[in-house]
Amino acid sequence: KSFSRLVDIQMRLGLFDNNKASHPYFQYGIGDIDTTEYQTLALEAAHQSIVLLKNDGGTALPLKKGRKVAVIGPHFNATDLFLSNYHGSRCASGSFDCMVA
């Protein structure tokens, strides 16, 4: 279902069309989307999405000084993975050529 929804949205946005010049979303540049207003909005969204977990027993947190924590799993060091596909570097050129897709 998720994949179907994603492809449906991409189709409606015209991401699979050959004539990208006819779609308004492809006309935006860095100056349109990387504004102080949108940066402030993104920061506010990040603040509102933080989730705090309850520490009932007090046995896990706070960590005692010198204690080690193991972070394991297939994505233990995959920092880009957690940013999803909604990030990119700011391009000095004003285009999207510095963003890896």
Side-chain angles (χ1 to χ4, degrees), residues 43-89:
L43 181 61
E44 178 65 23
H47 285 159
Q48 289 186 21
S49 67
I50 293 173
V51 176
L52 299 176
L53 302 176
K54 189 173 183 180
N55 185 27
D56 273 337
T59 57
L61 296 173
L63 294 176
K64 292 183 175 96
K65 189 173 182 176
R67 194 152 184 198
K68 295 182 179 182
V69 175
V71 179
I72 58 173
H75 305 298
F76 74 96
N77 67 347
T79 54
D80 281 345
L81 177 72
F82 297 115
L83 294 173
S84 74
N85 62 344
Y86 297 105
H87 75 286
S89 304

Short mmCIF file of all heavy atoms in Angstrom, two decimals, residues 43-89:
data_model
loop_
_atom_site.label_atom_id
_atom_site.label_comp_id
_atom_site.label_asym_id
_atom_site.label_seq_id
_atom_site.Cartn_x
_atom_site.Cartn_y
_atom_site.Cartn_z
N LEU A 43 12.47 23.86 11.40
CA LEU A 43 12.95 23.74 12.77
C LEU A 43 11.79 23.53 13.74
O LEU A 43 11.86 22.69 14.64
CB LEU A 43 13.75 24.98 13.16
CG LEU A 43 14.34 24.98 14.56
CD1 LEU A 43 15.31 23.82 14.76
CD2 LEU A 43 15.02 26.31 14.84
N GLU A 44 10.71 24.27 13.54
CA GLU A 44 9.51 24.11 14.39
C GLU A 44 8.94 22.70 14.25
O GLU A 44 8.56 22.07 15.24
CB GLU A 44 8.46 25.16 14.02
CG GLU A 44 7.17 25.04 14.81
CD GLU A 44 7.33 25.30 16.30
OE1 GLU A 44 8.29 25.97 16.70
OE2 GLU A 44 6.48 24.82 17.06
N ALA A 45 8.88 22.18 13.03
CA ALA A 45 8.38 20.81 12.81
C ALA A 45 9.28 19.80 13.52
O ALA A 45 8.80 18.83 14.12
CB ALA A 45 8.30 20.51 11.31
N ALA A 46 10.59 20.02 13.47
CA ALA A 46 11.53 19.11 14.14
C ALA A 46 11.32 19.15 15.65
O ALA A 46 11.28 18.11 16.31
CB ALA A 46 12.96 19.49 13.79
N HIS A 47 11.14 20.35 16.20
CA HIS A 47 10.91 20.47 17.65
C HIS A 47 9.62 19.77 18.06
O HIS A 47 9.57 19.12 19.10
CB HIS A 47 10.85 21.94 18.06
CG HIS A 47 12.19 22.61 18.10
ND1 HIS A 47 12.35 23.96 18.02
CD2 HIS A 47 13.44 22.10 18.18
CE1 HIS A 47 13.63 24.26 18.08
NE2 HIS A 47 14.31 23.15 18.17
N GLN A 48 8.58 19.90 17.26
CA GLN A 48 7.30 19.30 17.60
C GLN A 48 7.29 17.78 17.42
O GLN A 48 6.41 17.11 17.95
CB GLN A 48 6.19 19.93 16.77
CG GLN A 48 5.89 21.36 17.17
CD GLN A 48 4.69 21.92 16.45
OE1 GLN A 48 3.84 21.20 15.94
NE2 GLN A 48 4.60 23.24 16.41
N SER A 49 8.25 17.25 16.68
CA SER A 49 8.25 15.81 16.41
C SER A 49 9.11 15.02 17.40
O SER A 49 9.17 13.80 17.34
CB SER A 49 8.72 15.53 14.99
OG SER A 49 10.09 15.88 14.85
N ILE A 50 9.77 15.69 18.31
CA ILE A 50 10.61 15.01 19.30
C ILE A 50 9.72 14.22 20.25
O ILE A 50 8.71 14.71 20.75
CB ILE A 50 11.47 16.02 20.08
CG1 ILE A 50 12.49 16.66 19.14
CG2 ILE A 50 12.16 15.34 21.26
CD1 ILE A 50 13.27 17.79 19.77
N VAL A 51 10.10 12.99 20.50
CA VAL A 51 9.35 12.11 21.40
C VAL A 51 10.22 11.77 22.60
O VAL A 51 11.36 11.35 22.45
CB VAL A 51 8.93 10.80 20.68
CG1 VAL A 51 8.25 9.85 21.65
CG2 VAL A 51 8.06 11.10 19.49
N LEU A 52 9.68 11.97 23.78
CA LEU A 52 10.40 11.61 24.99
C LEU A 52 9.84 10.29 25.52
O LEU A 52 8.63 10.09 25.55
CB LEU A 52 10.24 12.70 26.05
CG LEU A 52 10.78 14.07 25.67
CD1 LEU A 52 10.47 15.09 26.78
CD2 LEU A 52 12.26 14.01 25.42
N LEU A 53 10.72 9.41 25.94
CA LEU A 53 10.30 8.12 26.47
C LEU A 53 10.31 8.17 27.99
O LEU A 53 11.18 8.78 28.61
CB LEU A 53 11.23 7.02 25.97
CG LEU A 53 11.32 6.89 24.45
CD1 LEU A 53 12.35 5.82 24.09
CD2 LEU A 53 9.97 6.55 23.86
N LYS A 54 9.35 7.49 28.58
CA LYS A 54 9.25 7.47 30.04
C LYS A 54 10.25 6.46 30.60
O LYS A 54 10.39 5.35 30.11
CB LYS A 54 7.83 7.09 30.43
CG LYS A 54 7.54 7.25 31.90
CD LYS A 54 6.06 7.02 32.19
CE LYS A 54 5.77 7.26 33.63
NZ LYS A 54 4.36 7.05 33.93
N ASN A 55 10.93 6.85 31.65
CA ASN A 55 11.91 6.00 32.31
C ASN A 55 11.37 5.63 33.69
O ASN A 55 11.72 6.23 34.69
CB ASN A 55 13.25 6.74 32.41
CG ASN A 55 14.35 5.86 32.97
OD1 ASN A 55 14.31 4.66 32.83
ND2 ASN A 55 15.32 6.49 33.61
N ASP A 56 10.46 4.64 33.73
CA ASP A 56 9.79 4.28 34.97
C ASP A 56 10.72 3.82 36.09
O ASP A 56 10.70 4.34 37.18
CB ASP A 56 8.77 3.17 34.72
CG ASP A 56 7.43 3.72 34.29
OD1 ASP A 56 7.13 4.89 34.59
OD2 ASP A 56 6.67 2.98 33.65
N GLY A 57 11.53 2.82 35.78
CA GLY A 57 12.33 2.21 36.84
C GLY A 57 13.59 2.96 37.18
O GLY A 57 14.20 2.72 38.21
N GLY A 58 14.02 3.85 36.32
CA GLY A 58 15.25 4.57 36.58
C GLY A 58 16.49 3.72 36.43
O GLY A 58 17.57 4.10 36.85
N THR A 59 16.36 2.52 35.83
CA THR A 59 17.51 1.63 35.72
C THR A 59 18.32 1.88 34.46
O THR A 59 19.50 1.58 34.42
CB THR A 59 17.05 0.16 35.71
OG1 THR A 59 16.13 -0.02 34.64
CG2 THR A 59 16.40 -0.22 37.01
N ALA A 60 17.69 2.45 33.44
CA ALA A 60 18.41 2.67 32.19
C ALA A 60 19.01 4.07 32.10
O ALA A 60 20.13 4.24 31.63
CB ALA A 60 17.47 2.44 31.01
N LEU A 61 18.27 5.05 32.55
CA LEU A 61 18.74 6.43 32.45
C LEU A 61 18.68 7.09 33.81
O LEU A 61 17.81 6.77 34.61
CB LEU A 61 17.86 7.21 31.46
CG LEU A 61 17.91 6.74 30.03
CD1 LEU A 61 16.88 7.49 29.20
CD2 LEU A 61 19.29 6.92 29.44
N PRO A 62 19.52 7.98 34.12
CA PRO A 62 20.64 8.43 33.31
C PRO A 62 21.78 7.42 33.33
O PRO A 62 21.91 6.64 34.27
CB PRO A 62 21.07 9.74 33.98
CG PRO A 62 20.66 9.56 35.42
CD PRO A 62 19.43 8.70 35.38
N LEU A 63 22.58 7.44 32.31
CA LEU A 63 23.72 6.54 32.25
C LEU A 63 24.77 6.97 33.26
O LEU A 63 25.02 8.16 33.43
CB LEU A 63 24.33 6.55 30.84
CG LEU A 63 23.45 6.00 29.73
CD1 LEU A 63 24.15 6.17 28.39
CD2 LEU A 63 23.12 4.54 29.96
N LYS A 64 25.36 6.00 33.89
CA LYS A 64 26.43 6.32 34.83
C LYS A 64 27.69 6.65 34.05
O LYS A 64 27.94 6.10 32.98
CB LYS A 64 26.68 5.12 35.74
CG LYS A 64 25.53 4.84 36.69
CD LYS A 64 25.84 3.69 37.61
CE LYS A 64 24.73 3.53 38.62
NZ LYS A 64 23.74 2.54 38.28
N LYS A 65 28.47 7.56 34.56
CA LYS A 65 29.70 7.99 33.91
C LYS A 65 30.61 6.78 33.68
O LYS A 65 30.77 5.93 34.56
CB LYS A 65 30.41 9.03 34.76
CG LYS A 65 31.57 9.67 34.07
CD LYS A 65 32.14 10.81 34.89
CE LYS A 65 33.26 11.45 34.11
NZ LYS A 65 33.80 12.62 34.78
N GLY A 66 31.13 6.67 32.47
CA GLY A 66 32.02 5.57 32.13
C GLY A 66 31.32 4.35 31.57
O GLY A 66 31.96 3.41 31.11
N ARG A 67 29.99 4.35 31.62
CA ARG A 67 29.23 3.21 31.10
C ARG A 67 29.17 3.26 29.58
O ARG A 67 29.13 4.33 28.99
CB ARG A 67 27.81 3.27 31.65
CG ARG A 67 27.05 2.00 31.45
CD ARG A 67 26.03 1.84 32.51
NE ARG A 67 25.39 0.56 32.34
CZ ARG A 67 24.25 0.22 32.84
NH1 ARG A 67 23.60 1.09 33.59
NH2 ARG A 67 23.74 -0.96 32.66
N LYS A 68 29.20 2.12 28.92
CA LYS A 68 29.19 2.05 27.48
C LYS A 68 27.84 1.56 26.97
O LYS A 68 27.16 0.78 27.65
CB LYS A 68 30.29 1.12 26.97
CG LYS A 68 31.68 1.63 27.28
CD LYS A 68 32.73 0.70 26.72
CE LYS A 68 34.10 1.25 27.04
NZ LYS A 68 35.15 0.41 26.49
N VAL A 69 27.47 2.02 25.80
CA VAL A 69 26.22 1.62 25.17
C VAL A 69 26.56 1.04 23.80
O VAL A 69 27.33 1.65 23.04
CB VAL A 69 25.27 2.82 25.00
CG1 VAL A 69 24.02 2.42 24.23
CG2 VAL A 69 24.91 3.41 26.35
N ALA A 70 26.00 -0.10 23.47
CA ALA A 70 26.22 -0.72 22.16
C ALA A 70 25.05 -0.37 21.24
O ALA A 70 23.89 -0.58 21.59
CB ALA A 70 26.33 -2.23 22.30
N VAL A 71 25.36 0.18 20.10
CA VAL A 71 24.35 0.46 19.08
C VAL A 71 24.58 -0.57 17.99
O VAL A 71 25.61 -0.56 17.32
CB VAL A 71 24.48 1.89 18.52
CG1 VAL A 71 23.44 2.14 17.45
CG2 VAL A 71 24.37 2.90 19.65
N ILE A 72 23.62 -1.48 17.83
CA ILE A 72 23.81 -2.60 16.90
C ILE A 72 22.68 -2.65 15.87
O ILE A 72 21.67 -1.98 16.03
CB ILE A 72 23.87 -3.94 17.67
CG1 ILE A 72 22.60 -4.14 18.50
CG2 ILE A 72 25.09 -3.97 18.58
CD1 ILE A 72 22.50 -5.48 19.14
N GLY A 73 22.91 -3.41 14.84
CA GLY A 73 21.91 -3.56 13.80
C GLY A 73 22.46 -3.15 12.45
O GLY A 73 23.56 -2.61 12.35
N PRO A 74 21.69 -3.39 11.40
CA PRO A 74 22.20 -3.13 10.05
C PRO A 74 22.43 -1.65 9.75
O PRO A 74 23.17 -1.32 8.84
CB PRO A 74 21.11 -3.70 9.14
CG PRO A 74 19.87 -3.71 9.98
CD PRO A 74 20.34 -3.92 11.39
N HIS A 75 21.84 -0.77 10.51
CA HIS A 75 21.97 0.66 10.23
C HIS A 75 22.65 1.40 11.38
O HIS A 75 22.39 2.58 11.60
CB HIS A 75 20.59 1.27 9.98
CG HIS A 75 19.82 0.60 8.90
ND1 HIS A 75 20.25 0.55 7.60
CD2 HIS A 75 18.66 -0.10 8.93
CE1 HIS A 75 19.39 -0.13 6.86
NE2 HIS A 75 18.42 -0.53 7.65
N PHE A 76 23.55 0.74 12.08
CA PHE A 76 24.16 1.35 13.26
C PHE A 76 24.91 2.64 12.97
O PHE A 76 25.02 3.50 13.82
CB PHE A 76 25.07 0.36 13.98
CG PHE A 76 26.39 0.12 13.27
CD1 PHE A 76 27.52 0.82 13.64
CD2 PHE A 76 26.47 -0.79 12.23
CE1 PHE A 76 28.73 0.61 12.98
CE2 PHE A 76 27.66 -1.01 11.58
CZ PHE A 76 28.80 -0.30 11.95
N ASN A 77 25.41 2.80 11.74
CA ASN A 77 26.13 4.03 11.42
C ASN A 77 25.58 4.71 10.16
O ASN A 77 26.27 5.48 9.51
CB ASN A 77 27.62 3.77 11.27
CG ASN A 77 27.94 2.90 10.07
OD1 ASN A 77 27.06 2.29 9.49
ND2 ASN A 77 29.21 2.83 9.71
N ALA A 78 24.34 4.43 9.83
CA ALA A 78 23.74 4.96 8.60
C ALA A 78 23.02 6.27 8.88
O ALA A 78 21.81 6.33 8.92
CB ALA A 78 22.78 3.93 8.01
N THR A 79 23.79 7.34 9.07
CA THR A 79 23.18 8.62 9.42
C THR A 79 22.30 9.17 8.30
O THR A 79 21.26 9.76 8.56
CB THR A 79 24.25 9.66 9.79
OG1 THR A 79 25.19 9.73 8.71
CG2 THR A 79 24.97 9.26 11.05
N ASP A 80 22.69 8.99 7.04
CA ASP A 80 21.88 9.49 5.93
C ASP A 80 20.54 8.78 5.84
O ASP A 80 19.54 9.37 5.46
CB ASP A 80 22.60 9.33 4.59
CG ASP A 80 23.63 10.42 4.38
OD1 ASP A 80 23.59 11.43 5.12
OD2 ASP A 80 24.48 10.27 3.48
N LEU A 81 20.50 7.51 6.22
CA LEU A 81 19.27 6.73 6.15
C LEU A 81 18.18 7.36 7.01
O LEU A 81 17.02 7.42 6.61
CB LEU A 81 19.52 5.30 6.61
CG LEU A 81 18.31 4.38 6.68
CD1 LEU A 81 17.86 4.03 5.26
CD2 LEU A 81 18.62 3.14 7.45
N PHE A 82 18.55 7.89 8.16
CA PHE A 82 17.57 8.45 9.07
C PHE A 82 17.05 9.81 8.62
O PHE A 82 16.08 10.31 9.15
CB PHE A 82 18.13 8.51 10.49
CG PHE A 82 18.43 7.14 11.02
CD1 PHE A 82 19.73 6.77 11.30
CD2 PHE A 82 17.43 6.22 11.20
CE1 PHE A 82 20.02 5.49 11.76
CE2 PHE A 82 17.69 4.94 11.67
CZ PHE A 82 19.00 4.59 11.95
N LEU A 83 17.73 10.42 7.67
CA LEU A 83 17.26 11.69 7.12
C LEU A 83 16.27 11.48 5.99
O LEU A 83 15.70 12.42 5.48
CB LEU A 83 18.44 12.51 6.61
CG LEU A 83 19.41 12.98 7.68
CD1 LEU A 83 20.63 13.64 7.03
CD2 LEU A 83 18.75 13.96 8.62
N SER A 84 16.07 10.27 5.57
CA SER A 84 15.19 9.86 4.48
C SER A 84 15.62 10.50 3.18
O SER A 84 16.77 10.86 3.01
CB SER A 84 13.72 10.16 4.80
OG SER A 84 13.46 11.54 4.69
N ASN A 85 14.71 10.64 2.25
CA ASN A 85 15.08 11.24 0.97
C ASN A 85 14.62 12.69 0.90
O ASN A 85 14.48 13.25 -0.18
CB ASN A 85 14.51 10.43 -0.19
CG ASN A 85 13.00 10.39 -0.17
OD1 ASN A 85 12.38 10.69 0.84
ND2 ASN A 85 12.39 9.99 -1.26
N TYR A 86 14.40 13.30 2.02
CA TYR A 86 13.92 14.68 2.06
C TYR A 86 15.01 15.63 2.55
O TYR A 86 14.76 16.51 3.33
CB TYR A 86 12.69 14.81 2.97
CG TYR A 86 11.54 14.01 2.48
CD1 TYR A 86 11.18 12.83 3.09
CD2 TYR A 86 10.82 14.42 1.37
CE1 TYR A 86 10.11 12.08 2.62
CE2 TYR A 86 9.76 13.68 0.88
CZ TYR A 86 9.42 12.52 1.53
OH TYR A 86 8.37 11.78 1.06
N HIS A 87 16.22 15.40 2.11
CA HIS A 87 17.30 16.28 2.52
C HIS A 87 18.27 16.47 1.37
O HIS A 87 18.26 15.74 0.40
CB HIS A 87 18.01 15.72 3.74
CG HIS A 87 18.91 14.56 3.41
ND1 HIS A 87 18.41 13.32 3.12
CD2 HIS A 87 20.24 14.48 3.30
CE1 HIS A 87 19.42 12.50 2.85
NE2 HIS A 87 20.53 13.17 2.95
N GLY A 88 19.08 17.41 1.50
CA GLY A 88 20.11 17.65 0.51
C GLY A 88 20.96 18.82 0.95
O GLY A 88 20.58 19.58 1.83
N SER A 89 22.09 18.95 0.33
CA SER A 89 22.96 20.07 0.63
C SER A 89 22.45 21.31 -0.09
O SER A 89 21.82 21.20 -1.13
CB SER A 89 24.38 19.76 0.17
OG SER A 89 24.83 18.57 0.76
#
